Amino acid sequence: MPVFKAPFNGYSVKFSPFYENRVAVATAQNFGILGNGRLHVLDLSPDPGLPISELVAYDTADGVYDVAWSESHDSLLVAAVADGSVKLYDLALPPTANPIRSFHEHTREVHSADYNPVRRDSFLTSSWDDTIKLWTMDRPTSVRTFKEHVYCVYSSVWNPRHGDIFASASGDCTVRIWDVREPGSTMILPAHEFEILACDWNKYDDCIIATASVDKSIKVWDVRNHRLPITVLNGHGYAVRRIKFSPHVRNLMVSCSYDMTVCMWDFMVEDALVSRYDHHTEFAVGVDMSVLVEGLMASTGWDELVYVWQHGTDPRAP
């Protein structure tokens, strides 16, 4: 299956919600510690034997930690940047006209971006400044800042059914559920005893959420009764960096870890680990599943490689 070699370390990969052959990749130089960044937009060939082609690349003065596609415009991308900025790019415009916007409100690194799939007019960013910010395309400043976490917010994710509800995962060992119509968070979930690096909502049951932690585990929760998790998934050897529920199968999710592997899980069965992919040779930090093509997966890592493959096949197979 195709592979793309980036000049910098991979941080995040996201499939386009409009074009089944398109992915965006966020990268950062020197493992994101110091140096430049680059945002790549890649097109897959219809022939799996042919290489991935780069449609465009945007250079940034600092590392790019995450990227999110607009849900309303097929050419728009949001980038989360290490200098605290949030940048908007439009593929329909020449590279010299980009970024079309650069928001400077976060006071530390921006670690994640997530576009609202229900309203399709707004997006969230999470930062190491302990805050989450809500933005719309038509405003030059953020709509609102959510500040309750007492340590870095690594991820914030919209609920797939309710356009006002999102969850945030933090290094303060909690996940918080928010309703943008309410003044504060509506639920605090002390999900792990160590930092929580990611969370995601189930795409078929809007009350189920998964959390991933430095403690090497993934936990699945029902927010209606969150005293105990539905299940705990153990199998990664180091911190779990990112998790994503399948857009096509209710019980499936994918994760990536500092143990350099990507894992597929079925959280409703006892032997939950469906498959383990060990194609990366450095930390695996970005993973996604295509909404448009069932079973199509992508991952990236600090080995500067981006893999795209069909679940059940070898990502490294030619």
Side-chain angles (χ1 to χ4, degrees):
M1 297 300 283
V3 59
F4 176 81
K5 173 74 167 68
F8 301 155
N9 308 108
Y11 259 82
S12 176
V13 59
K14 301 279 177 72
F15 282 99
S16 163
F18 293 96
Y19 302 109
E20 62 183 48
N21 66 327
R22 186 162 290 174
V23 295
V25 184
T27 70
Q29 201 173 14
N30 302 317
F31 309 103
I33 297 159
L34 188 70
N36 307 124
R38 186 172 291 173
L39 178 62
H40 301 266
V41 179
L42 309 176
D43 279 347
L44 312 170
S45 166
D47 180 352
L50 292 176
I52 297 173
S53 61
E54 183 177 80
L55 180 70
V56 69
Y58 303 108
D59 287 313
T60 54
D62 295 86
V64 186
Y65 287 165
D66 199 14
V67 59
W69 288 97
S70 164
E71 295 279 351
S72 58
H73 296 84
D74 62 2
S75 62
L76 288 183
L77 287 156
V78 179
V81 188
D83 64 355
S85 71
V86 178
K87 297 187 190 301
L88 251 58
Y89 294 90
D90 189 343
L91 304 179
L93 296 174
T96 50
N98 277 290
I100 56 169
R101 296 262 181 84
S102 191
F103 303 107
H104 295 267
E105 290 190 22
H106 285 296
T107 56
R108 289 199 60 199
E109 291 87 337
V110 186
H111 204 255
S112 87
D114 191 50
Y115 214 92
N116 193 316
V118 180
R119 292 194 184 282
R120 301 184 176 185
D121 65 348
S122 52
F123 61 93
L124 296 166
T125 56
S126 330
S127 170
W128 293 1
D129 66 10
D130 311 349
T131 72
I132 305 131
K133 286 181 182 283
L134 171 66
W135 312 82
T136 57
M137 287 296 183
D138 55 353
R139 287 177 59 144
T141 57
S142 61
V143 178
R144 186 171 164 196
T145 301
F146 303 86
K147 185 162 175 53
E148 279 185 26
H149 285 293
V150 294
Y151 196 59
C152 302
V153 187
Y154 294 117
S155 173
S156 48
V157 186
W158 290 105
N159 186 288
R161 296 256 180 98
H162 302 285
D164 294 310
I165 294 172
F166 69 90
S168 58
S170 168
D172 67 10
C173 308
T174 69
V175 161
R176 288 171 192 256
I177 312 294
W178 308 79
D179 185 323
V180 298
R181 299 163 294 188
E182 301 291 337
S185 64
T186 56
M187 200 184 97
I188 302 170
L189 180 61
H192 298 262
E193 291 181 12
F194 293 86
E195 291 191 62
I196 305 171
L197 301 182
C199 60
D200 196 34
W201 295 94
N202 188 282
K203 306 303 180 269
Y204 291 86
D205 186 331
D206 52 25
C207 292
I208 290 181
I209 193 167
T211 58
S213 171
V214 169
D215 68 13
K216 306 183 276 195
S217 77
I218 299 162
K219 296 183 184 181
V220 183
W221 309 83
D222 187 323
V223 296
R224 293 163 297 195
N225 179 19
H226 59 273
R227 200 171 56 82
L228 290 170
I230 297 170
T231 188
V232 180
L233 307 176
N234 293 302
H236 279 299
Y238 288 99
V240 185
R241 175 58 182 265
R242 217 179 271 265
I243 43 172
K244 189 96 178 184
F245 275 106
S246 166
H248 297 281
V249 183
R250 180 191 181 274
N251 298 344
L252 285 186
M253 75 169 86
V254 66
S255 61
C256 63
S257 164
Y258 290 121
D259 67 9
M260 303 189 271
T261 70
V262 172
C263 288
M264 176 79 85
W265 310 84
D266 180 336
F267 71 89
M268 291 301 285
V269 299
E270 191 175 350
D271 193 8
L273 184 61
V274 176
S275 35
R276 186 192 301 273
Y277 299 97
D278 60 357
H279 49 289
H280 285 290
T281 56
E282 285 283 352
F283 295 163
V285 294
V287 70
D288 197 22
M289 302 176 81
S290 171
V291 173
L292 301 176
V293 183
E294 184 169 354
L296 193 63
M297 302 169 64
S299 69
T300 190
W302 284 12
D303 54 10
E304 305 175 354
L305 296 174
V306 182
Y307 289 89
V308 181
W309 75 100
Q310 187 67 31
H311 172 54
T313 66
D314 182 352
R316 283 170 298 208

